[in-house]
Amino acid sequence: MPAETSHHLPVTIRVASTDGDLRKVLAVRAAAAGKSSTAAAPAPETWDQRPNATLLLAESRIDGEALGSLRILASERGRLMVEDRIALPASLKAVSVAEASGLAVKAGRNATLVRLMLWKAFHRYCLAAQVDTMLIAVREPALRQYEWLGFHDPQPAPVRFSADGTGSATHRLLTLGVFEAHERSLQGGHPLHDFFFVERHPEIDLLAPIESRRAGQRPAGAAVLPDHASIAAQLQQVAIV
């Protein structure tokens, strides 16, 4: 039986939908990179403004402090970031793909929880948007962390590349099927299976931009979920969230 709904996690996840939200995303990226709070505010990256981009924002439930962020790029609505560096394997060209990038988590006692909740929100987004495959590009030293979450090479030979297009390969392409994630976790007895696939976390709210629009707030460029009404209906039908 599914676990009882949790109402007590100290972190919330939502879609960055206003200019103020975008400033929070940029600030948490700077903090995660160890930049001084007195430094000039960074500008949004080009990929943040793409029509296929969605920015997730993690905040403290207590005081609203920005704790983390993650960018999602949907292949069905535009180009993926990795396509600037490599040609996607043929297997990925035949399916819908969502690429996660720009993961930033502020150091602190809840850093691990923030990271896990952002990954759960990414998976939940893919379920709602009917995406087939999750894709990430990771540095080789961090490979084991993502393999532990179920990600694997999209083809027998690993796909390695240089993030800046020059020098030796530093990154590796990894994928995970959206429904495969549940199957691998269940069969392997993953210690976080219940967290990702059984527990329902209302703290992860991907539909908040609907209310923001009704309230007349101006969205932050393209950083909102597409077709909110359709996604809202789909989320209500999804059993694994």
Side-chain angles (χ1 to χ4, degrees), residues 49-91:
Q49 308 294 337
R50 295 295 178 93
N52 63 331
T54 297
L55 300 180
L56 300 183
L57 176 63
E59 298 170 299
S60 166
R61 188 172 184 174
I62 298 174
D63 57 13
E65 177 188 8
L67 301 175
S69 68
L70 182 72
R71 177 176 55 230
I72 302 172
L73 296 170
S75 66
E76 292 190 337
R77 294 185 288 118
R79 188 175 178 82
L80 301 179
M81 191 173 176
V82 296
E83 291 183 280
D84 277 4
R85 295 289 174 259
I86 58 171
L88 291 179
S91 60

mmCIF file of all heavy atoms in Angstrom, residues 49-91:
data_model
loop_
_atom_site.group_PDB
_atom_site.id
_atom_site.type_symbol
_atom_site.label_atom_id
_atom_site.label_comp_id
_atom_site.label_asym_id
_atom_site.label_seq_id
_atom_site.Cartn_x
_atom_site.Cartn_y
_atom_site.Cartn_z
ATOM 1 N N GLN A 49 16.074 30.922 -21.543
ATOM 2 C CA GLN A 49 15.087 31.704 -22.265
ATOM 3 C C GLN A 49 14.480 30.951 -23.445
ATOM 4 O O GLN A 49 13.630 31.484 -24.153
ATOM 5 C CB GLN A 49 15.741 32.998 -22.786
ATOM 6 C CG GLN A 49 16.470 33.806 -21.725
ATOM 7 C CD GLN A 49 15.537 34.370 -20.674
ATOM 8 O OE1 GLN A 49 14.352 34.533 -20.928
ATOM 9 N NE2 GLN A 49 16.067 34.677 -19.500
ATOM 10 N N ARG A 50 14.913 29.725 -23.677
ATOM 11 C CA ARG A 50 14.404 28.964 -24.818
ATOM 12 C C ARG A 50 12.933 28.588 -24.613
ATOM 13 O O ARG A 50 12.489 28.364 -23.485
ATOM 14 C CB ARG A 50 15.234 27.699 -25.024
ATOM 15 C CG ARG A 50 16.696 27.955 -25.407
ATOM 16 C CD ARG A 50 16.800 28.631 -26.761
ATOM 17 N NE ARG A 50 18.175 28.931 -27.130
ATOM 18 C CZ ARG A 50 18.954 28.130 -27.855
ATOM 19 N NH1 ARG A 50 18.488 26.970 -28.283
ATOM 20 N NH2 ARG A 50 20.186 28.482 -28.149
ATOM 21 N N PRO A 51 12.170 28.492 -25.698
ATOM 22 C CA PRO A 51 10.748 28.141 -25.591
ATOM 23 C C PRO A 51 10.504 26.770 -24.967
ATOM 24 O O PRO A 51 9.410 26.513 -24.456
ATOM 25 C CB PRO A 51 10.274 28.172 -27.053
ATOM 26 C CG PRO A 51 11.243 29.052 -27.751
ATOM 27 C CD PRO A 51 12.565 28.819 -27.073
ATOM 28 N N ASN A 52 11.498 25.895 -25.012
ATOM 29 C CA ASN A 52 11.320 24.552 -24.463
ATOM 30 C C ASN A 52 11.898 24.410 -23.058
ATOM 31 O O ASN A 52 12.067 23.303 -22.566
ATOM 32 C CB ASN A 52 11.962 23.509 -25.384
ATOM 33 C CG ASN A 52 13.475 23.686 -25.520
ATOM 34 O OD1 ASN A 52 13.990 24.792 -25.401
ATOM 35 N ND2 ASN A 52 14.189 22.607 -25.795
ATOM 36 N N ALA A 53 12.196 25.536 -22.400
ATOM 37 C CA ALA A 53 12.820 25.496 -21.078
ATOM 38 C C ALA A 53 11.814 25.641 -19.948
ATOM 39 O O ALA A 53 10.873 26.437 -20.032
ATOM 40 C CB ALA A 53 13.869 26.603 -20.959
ATOM 41 N N THR A 54 12.016 24.876 -18.907
ATOM 42 C CA THR A 54 11.264 24.986 -17.656
ATOM 43 C C THR A 54 12.275 25.010 -16.517
ATOM 44 O O THR A 54 13.152 24.152 -16.452
ATOM 45 C CB THR A 54 10.309 23.795 -17.472
ATOM 46 O OG1 THR A 54 9.343 23.790 -18.518
ATOM 47 C CG2 THR A 54 9.593 23.882 -16.125
ATOM 48 N N LEU A 55 12.169 25.981 -15.628
ATOM 49 C CA LEU A 55 13.084 26.090 -14.493
ATOM 50 C C LEU A 55 12.361 25.669 -13.218
ATOM 51 O O LEU A 55 11.296 26.196 -12.901
ATOM 52 C CB LEU A 55 13.593 27.521 -14.340
ATOM 53 C CG LEU A 55 14.372 28.116 -15.516
ATOM 54 C CD1 LEU A 55 14.803 29.545 -15.189
ATOM 55 C CD2 LEU A 55 15.578 27.256 -15.861
ATOM 56 N N LEU A 56 12.953 24.721 -12.497
ATOM 57 C CA LEU A 56 12.414 24.311 -11.210
ATOM 58 C C LEU A 56 13.149 25.051 -10.102
ATOM 59 O O LEU A 56 14.366 25.234 -10.174
ATOM 60 C CB LEU A 56 12.593 22.804 -11.007
ATOM 61 C CG LEU A 56 11.930 21.881 -12.029
ATOM 62 C CD1 LEU A 56 12.154 20.422 -11.640
ATOM 63 C CD2 LEU A 56 10.449 22.178 -12.163
ATOM 64 N N LEU A 57 12.405 25.476 -9.094
ATOM 65 C CA LEU A 57 12.964 26.238 -7.990
ATOM 66 C C LEU A 57 12.639 25.553 -6.671
ATOM 67 O O LEU A 57 11.473 25.281 -6.363
ATOM 68 C CB LEU A 57 12.385 27.655 -7.988
ATOM 69 C CG LEU A 57 12.776 28.582 -6.830
ATOM 70 C CD1 LEU A 57 14.277 28.845 -6.840
ATOM 71 C CD2 LEU A 57 12.005 29.905 -6.933
ATOM 72 N N ALA A 58 13.682 25.256 -5.898
ATOM 73 C CA ALA A 58 13.521 24.677 -4.564
ATOM 74 C C ALA A 58 13.661 25.781 -3.533
ATOM 75 O O ALA A 58 14.577 26.607 -3.610
ATOM 76 C CB ALA A 58 14.568 23.593 -4.322
ATOM 77 N N GLU A 59 12.744 25.794 -2.550
ATOM 78 C CA GLU A 59 12.757 26.838 -1.525
ATOM 79 C C GLU A 59 12.544 26.234 -0.141
ATOM 80 O O GLU A 59 11.964 25.156 -0.002
ATOM 81 C CB GLU A 59 11.644 27.860 -1.795
ATOM 82 C CG GLU A 59 11.784 28.601 -3.105
ATOM 83 C CD GLU A 59 10.543 29.410 -3.431
ATOM 84 O OE1 GLU A 59 9.460 28.794 -3.581
ATOM 85 O OE2 GLU A 59 10.644 30.645 -3.554
ATOM 86 N N SER A 60 12.989 26.954 0.871
ATOM 87 C CA SER A 60 12.723 26.565 2.241
ATOM 88 C C SER A 60 11.247 26.775 2.547
ATOM 89 O O SER A 60 10.685 27.826 2.233
ATOM 90 C CB SER A 60 13.560 27.410 3.212
ATOM 91 O OG SER A 60 13.085 27.276 4.535
ATOM 92 N N ARG A 61 10.631 25.773 3.146
ATOM 93 C CA ARG A 61 9.223 25.902 3.499
ATOM 94 C C ARG A 61 9.027 26.881 4.652
ATOM 95 O O ARG A 61 7.954 27.431 4.841
ATOM 96 C CB ARG A 61 8.682 24.521 3.881
ATOM 97 C CG ARG A 61 7.185 24.477 4.075
ATOM 98 C CD ARG A 61 6.713 23.051 4.249
ATOM 99 N NE ARG A 61 5.274 22.987 4.337
ATOM 100 C CZ ARG A 61 4.574 21.859 4.372
ATOM 101 N NH1 ARG A 61 5.224 20.700 4.330
ATOM 102 N NH2 ARG A 61 3.278 21.869 4.459
ATOM 103 N N ILE A 62 10.096 27.131 5.393
ATOM 104 C CA ILE A 62 10.002 27.993 6.574
ATOM 105 C C ILE A 62 10.028 29.470 6.210
ATOM 106 O O ILE A 62 9.168 30.246 6.627
ATOM 107 C CB ILE A 62 11.142 27.678 7.563
ATOM 108 C CG1 ILE A 62 11.029 26.237 8.042
ATOM 109 C CG2 ILE A 62 11.124 28.657 8.740
ATOM 110 C CD1 ILE A 62 12.184 25.785 8.897
ATOM 111 N N ASP A 63 11.028 29.869 5.398
ATOM 112 C CA ASP A 63 11.186 31.296 5.117
ATOM 113 C C ASP A 63 11.246 31.643 3.626
ATOM 114 O O ASP A 63 11.455 32.799 3.272
ATOM 115 C CB ASP A 63 12.437 31.835 5.812
ATOM 116 C CG ASP A 63 13.704 31.091 5.399
ATOM 117 O OD1 ASP A 63 13.669 30.324 4.413
ATOM 118 O OD2 ASP A 63 14.740 31.274 6.075
ATOM 119 N N GLY A 64 11.052 30.662 2.752
ATOM 120 C CA GLY A 64 11.046 30.939 1.317
ATOM 121 C C GLY A 64 12.419 31.136 0.701
ATOM 122 O O GLY A 64 12.523 31.513 -0.468
ATOM 123 N N GLU A 65 13.488 30.862 1.446
ATOM 124 C CA GLU A 65 14.834 31.021 0.906
ATOM 125 C C GLU A 65 15.048 30.060 -0.266
ATOM 126 O O GLU A 65 14.663 28.883 -0.207
ATOM 127 C CB GLU A 65 15.875 30.729 1.989
ATOM 128 C CG GLU A 65 17.312 30.804 1.499
ATOM 129 C CD GLU A 65 18.321 30.328 2.531
ATOM 130 O OE1 GLU A 65 17.882 29.809 3.569
ATOM 131 O OE2 GLU A 65 19.533 30.467 2.287
ATOM 132 N N ALA A 66 15.652 30.547 -1.344
ATOM 133 C CA ALA A 66 15.955 29.702 -2.493
ATOM 134 C C ALA A 66 17.081 28.735 -2.129
ATOM 135 O O ALA A 66 18.134 29.150 -1.651
ATOM 136 C CB ALA A 66 16.349 30.553 -3.691
ATOM 137 N N LEU A 67 16.856 27.440 -2.359
ATOM 138 C CA LEU A 67 17.819 26.414 -1.964
ATOM 139 C C LEU A 67 18.400 25.643 -3.144
ATOM 140 O O LEU A 67 19.457 25.016 -3.016
ATOM 141 C CB LEU A 67 17.162 25.425 -1.002
ATOM 142 C CG LEU A 67 16.603 25.999 0.303
ATOM 143 C CD1 LEU A 67 15.890 24.913 1.088
ATOM 144 C CD2 LEU A 67 17.718 26.634 1.128
ATOM 145 N N GLY A 68 17.720 25.672 -4.277
ATOM 146 C CA GLY A 68 18.222 24.915 -5.419
ATOM 147 C C GLY A 68 17.404 25.170 -6.667
ATOM 148 O O GLY A 68 16.322 25.755 -6.612
ATOM 149 N N SER A 69 17.934 24.722 -7.796
ATOM 150 C CA SER A 69 17.216 24.876 -9.058
ATOM 151 C C SER A 69 17.680 23.820 -10.058
ATOM 152 O O SER A 69 18.763 23.250 -9.920
ATOM 153 C CB SER A 69 17.412 26.277 -9.643
ATOM 154 O OG SER A 69 18.761 26.462 -10.052
ATOM 155 N N LEU A 70 16.849 23.581 -11.045
ATOM 156 C CA LEU A 70 17.154 22.626 -12.106
ATOM 157 C C LEU A 70 16.428 23.084 -13.368
ATOM 158 O O LEU A 70 15.274 23.500 -13.305
ATOM 159 C CB LEU A 70 16.680 21.220 -11.721
ATOM 160 C CG LEU A 70 16.980 20.093 -12.713
ATOM 161 C CD1 LEU A 70 18.471 19.766 -12.709
ATOM 162 C CD2 LEU A 70 16.173 18.840 -12.356
ATOM 163 N N ARG A 71 17.118 23.007 -14.505
ATOM 164 C CA ARG A 71 16.509 23.392 -15.776
ATOM 165 C C ARG A 71 16.129 22.141 -16.565
ATOM 166 O O ARG A 71 16.892 21.178 -16.623
ATOM 167 C CB ARG A 71 17.477 24.242 -16.594
ATOM 168 C CG ARG A 71 16.953 24.644 -17.976
ATOM 169 C CD ARG A 71 17.920 25.569 -18.685
ATOM 170 N NE ARG A 71 19.245 24.979 -18.780
ATOM 171 C CZ ARG A 71 20.375 25.613 -18.421
ATOM 172 N NH1 ARG A 71 20.351 26.843 -17.964
ATOM 173 N NH2 ARG A 71 21.542 25.001 -18.531
ATOM 174 N N ILE A 72 14.947 22.168 -17.171
ATOM 175 C CA ILE A 72 14.483 21.077 -18.018
ATOM 176 C C ILE A 72 14.282 21.600 -19.434
ATOM 177 O O ILE A 72 13.665 22.647 -19.632
ATOM 178 C CB ILE A 72 13.152 20.495 -17.500
ATOM 179 C CG1 ILE A 72 13.301 19.993 -16.063
ATOM 180 C CG2 ILE A 72 12.678 19.358 -18.405
ATOM 181 C CD1 ILE A 72 11.980 19.583 -15.432
ATOM 182 N N LEU A 73 14.804 20.885 -20.416
ATOM 183 C CA LEU A 73 14.615 21.220 -21.827
ATOM 184 C C LEU A 73 13.890 20.054 -22.494
ATOM 185 O O LEU A 73 14.335 18.907 -22.403
ATOM 186 C CB LEU A 73 15.952 21.468 -22.525
ATOM 187 C CG LEU A 73 16.768 22.663 -22.029
ATOM 188 C CD1 LEU A 73 18.169 22.642 -22.630
ATOM 189 C CD2 LEU A 73 16.069 23.976 -22.373
ATOM 190 N N ALA A 74 12.772 20.337 -23.141
ATOM 191 C CA ALA A 74 11.962 19.305 -23.781
ATOM 192 C C ALA A 74 12.257 19.240 -25.275
ATOM 193 O O ALA A 74 12.168 20.253 -25.976
ATOM 194 C CB ALA A 74 10.475 19.590 -23.551
ATOM 195 N N SER A 75 12.597 18.051 -25.774
ATOM 196 C CA SER A 75 12.986 17.904 -27.177
ATOM 197 C C SER A 75 11.841 18.158 -28.138
ATOM 198 O O SER A 75 12.061 18.581 -29.277
ATOM 199 C CB SER A 75 13.546 16.493 -27.419
ATOM 200 O OG SER A 75 12.537 15.504 -27.258
ATOM 201 N N GLU A 76 10.615 17.918 -27.707
ATOM 202 C CA GLU A 76 9.481 18.088 -28.609
ATOM 203 C C GLU A 76 9.157 19.560 -28.860
ATOM 204 O O GLU A 76 8.397 19.880 -29.767
ATOM 205 C CB GLU A 76 8.255 17.366 -28.053
ATOM 206 C CG GLU A 76 8.401 15.849 -28.071
ATOM 207 C CD GLU A 76 7.109 15.138 -27.750
ATOM 208 O OE1 GLU A 76 6.244 15.762 -27.100
ATOM 209 O OE2 GLU A 76 6.948 13.965 -28.138
ATOM 210 N N ARG A 77 9.752 20.443 -28.058
ATOM 211 C CA ARG A 77 9.480 21.877 -28.245
ATOM 212 C C ARG A 77 10.733 22.671 -28.576
ATOM 213 O O ARG A 77 10.696 23.900 -28.616
ATOM 214 C CB ARG A 77 8.827 22.445 -26.971
ATOM 215 C CG ARG A 77 7.446 21.870 -26.701
ATOM 216 C CD ARG A 77 6.781 22.536 -25.509
ATOM 217 N NE ARG A 77 7.391 22.143 -24.249
ATOM 218 C CZ ARG A 77 7.990 22.988 -23.410
ATOM 219 N NH1 ARG A 77 8.090 24.268 -23.712
ATOM 220 N NH2 ARG A 77 8.505 22.554 -22.274
ATOM 221 N N GLY A 78 11.847 21.987 -28.829
ATOM 222 C CA GLY A 78 13.056 22.722 -29.166
ATOM 223 C C GLY A 78 14.306 21.878 -29.038
ATOM 224 O O GLY A 78 14.253 20.678 -28.765
ATOM 225 N N ARG A 79 15.417 22.529 -29.220
ATOM 226 C CA ARG A 79 16.711 21.858 -29.223
ATOM 227 C C ARG A 79 17.199 21.581 -27.799
ATOM 228 O O ARG A 79 16.922 22.349 -26.874
ATOM 229 C CB ARG A 79 17.724 22.753 -29.942
ATOM 230 C CG ARG A 79 19.092 22.127 -30.209
ATOM 231 C CD ARG A 79 19.933 23.097 -31.040
ATOM 232 N NE ARG A 79 21.263 22.580 -31.297
ATOM 233 C CZ ARG A 79 21.567 21.726 -32.258
ATOM 234 N NH1 ARG A 79 20.594 21.294 -33.056
ATOM 235 N NH2 ARG A 79 22.806 21.307 -32.452
ATOM 236 N N LEU A 80 17.919 20.482 -27.631
ATOM 237 C CA LEU A 80 18.519 20.152 -26.346
ATOM 238 C C LEU A 80 19.909 20.757 -26.253
ATOM 239 O O LEU A 80 20.598 20.944 -27.255
ATOM 240 C CB LEU A 80 18.610 18.637 -26.171
ATOM 241 C CG LEU A 80 17.302 17.855 -26.220
ATOM 242 C CD1 LEU A 80 17.563 16.366 -26.050
ATOM 243 C CD2 LEU A 80 16.317 18.352 -25.179
ATOM 244 N N MET A 81 20.344 21.022 -25.049
ATOM 245 C CA MET A 81 21.639 21.648 -24.819
ATOM 246 C C MET A 81 22.790 20.767 -25.333
ATOM 247 O O MET A 81 23.750 21.260 -25.930
ATOM 248 C CB MET A 81 21.802 21.932 -23.331
ATOM 249 C CG MET A 81 22.980 22.803 -22.966
ATOM 250 S SD MET A 81 22.913 23.213 -21.198
ATOM 251 C CE MET A 81 24.442 24.117 -21.028
ATOM 252 N N VAL A 82 22.702 19.458 -25.111
ATOM 253 C CA VAL A 82 23.793 18.569 -25.515
ATOM 254 C C VAL A 82 23.959 18.506 -27.029
ATOM 255 O O VAL A 82 25.024 18.122 -27.530
ATOM 256 C CB VAL A 82 23.594 17.141 -24.968
ATOM 257 C CG1 VAL A 82 23.646 17.130 -23.453
ATOM 258 C CG2 VAL A 82 22.289 16.532 -25.472
ATOM 259 N N GLU A 83 22.920 18.891 -27.763
ATOM 260 C CA GLU A 83 23.005 18.829 -29.222
ATOM 261 C C GLU A 83 23.962 19.870 -29.795
ATOM 262 O O GLU A 83 24.307 19.800 -30.975
ATOM 263 C CB GLU A 83 21.616 18.983 -29.835
ATOM 264 C CG GLU A 83 20.709 17.799 -29.567
ATOM 265 C CD GLU A 83 19.362 17.921 -30.243
ATOM 266 O OE1 GLU A 83 18.489 18.644 -29.706
ATOM 267 O OE2 GLU A 83 19.172 17.311 -31.318
ATOM 268 N N ASP A 84 24.385 20.810 -28.966
ATOM 269 C CA ASP A 84 25.413 21.752 -29.398
ATOM 270 C C ASP A 84 26.795 21.113 -29.374
ATOM 271 O O ASP A 84 27.757 21.692 -29.892
ATOM 272 C CB ASP A 84 25.423 22.998 -28.493
ATOM 273 C CG ASP A 84 24.380 24.015 -28.920
ATOM 274 O OD1 ASP A 84 23.612 23.726 -29.857
ATOM 275 O OD2 ASP A 84 24.334 25.102 -28.302
ATOM 276 N N ARG A 85 26.917 19.940 -28.743
ATOM 277 C CA ARG A 85 28.211 19.290 -28.597
ATOM 278 C C ARG A 85 28.300 17.952 -29.317
ATOM 279 O O ARG A 85 29.357 17.566 -29.792
ATOM 280 C CB ARG A 85 28.527 19.088 -27.108
ATOM 281 C CG ARG A 85 28.714 20.385 -26.346
ATOM 282 C CD ARG A 85 30.020 21.068 -26.739
ATOM 283 N NE ARG A 85 30.163 22.389 -26.142
ATOM 284 C CZ ARG A 85 29.939 23.527 -26.772
ATOM 285 N NH1 ARG A 85 29.525 23.506 -28.043
ATOM 286 N NH2 ARG A 85 30.110 24.690 -26.165
ATOM 287 N N ILE A 86 27.186 17.228 -29.374
ATOM 288 C CA ILE A 86 27.204 15.891 -29.970
ATOM 289 C C ILE A 86 25.926 15.637 -30.755
ATOM 290 O O ILE A 86 24.920 16.323 -30.573
ATOM 291 C CB ILE A 86 27.337 14.788 -28.896
ATOM 292 C CG1 ILE A 86 26.164 14.894 -27.897
ATOM 293 C CG2 ILE A 86 28.671 14.860 -28.186
ATOM 294 C CD1 ILE A 86 26.079 13.738 -26.946
ATOM 295 N N ALA A 87 25.995 14.647 -31.632
ATOM 296 C CA ALA A 87 24.796 14.171 -32.313
ATOM 297 C C ALA A 87 24.158 13.109 -31.430
ATOM 298 O O ALA A 87 24.835 12.195 -30.947
ATOM 299 C CB ALA A 87 25.155 13.582 -33.670
ATOM 300 N N LEU A 88 22.870 13.227 -31.183
ATOM 301 C CA LEU A 88 22.202 12.257 -30.327
ATOM 302 C C LEU A 88 22.203 10.875 -30.970
ATOM 303 O O LEU A 88 22.074 10.750 -32.192
ATOM 304 C CB LEU A 88 20.754 12.685 -30.076
ATOM 305 C CG LEU A 88 20.510 13.914 -29.207
ATOM 306 C CD1 LEU A 88 19.017 14.175 -29.097
ATOM 307 C CD2 LEU A 88 21.117 13.743 -27.822
ATOM 308 N N PRO A 89 22.361 9.831 -30.166
ATOM 309 C CA PRO A 89 22.234 8.469 -30.693
ATOM 310 C C PRO A 89 20.876 8.292 -31.377
ATOM 311 O O PRO A 89 19.888 8.917 -30.991
ATOM 312 C CB PRO A 89 22.348 7.593 -29.443
ATOM 313 C CG PRO A 89 23.127 8.424 -28.473
ATOM 314 C CD PRO A 89 22.693 9.840 -28.733
ATOM 315 N N ALA A 90 20.830 7.438 -32.383
ATOM 316 C CA ALA A 90 19.596 7.228 -33.149
ATOM 317 C C ALA A 90 18.425 6.841 -32.253
ATOM 318 O O ALA A 90 17.283 7.245 -32.499
ATOM 319 C CB ALA A 90 19.831 6.164 -34.208
ATOM 320 N N SER A 91 18.704 6.075 -31.195
ATOM 321 C CA SER A 91 17.634 5.620 -30.301
ATOM 322 C C SER A 91 16.932 6.782 -29.606
ATOM 323 O O SER A 91 15.744 6.681 -29.263
ATOM 324 C CB SER A 91 18.193 4.658 -29.252
ATOM 325 O OG SER A 91 19.191 5.297 -28.463
#
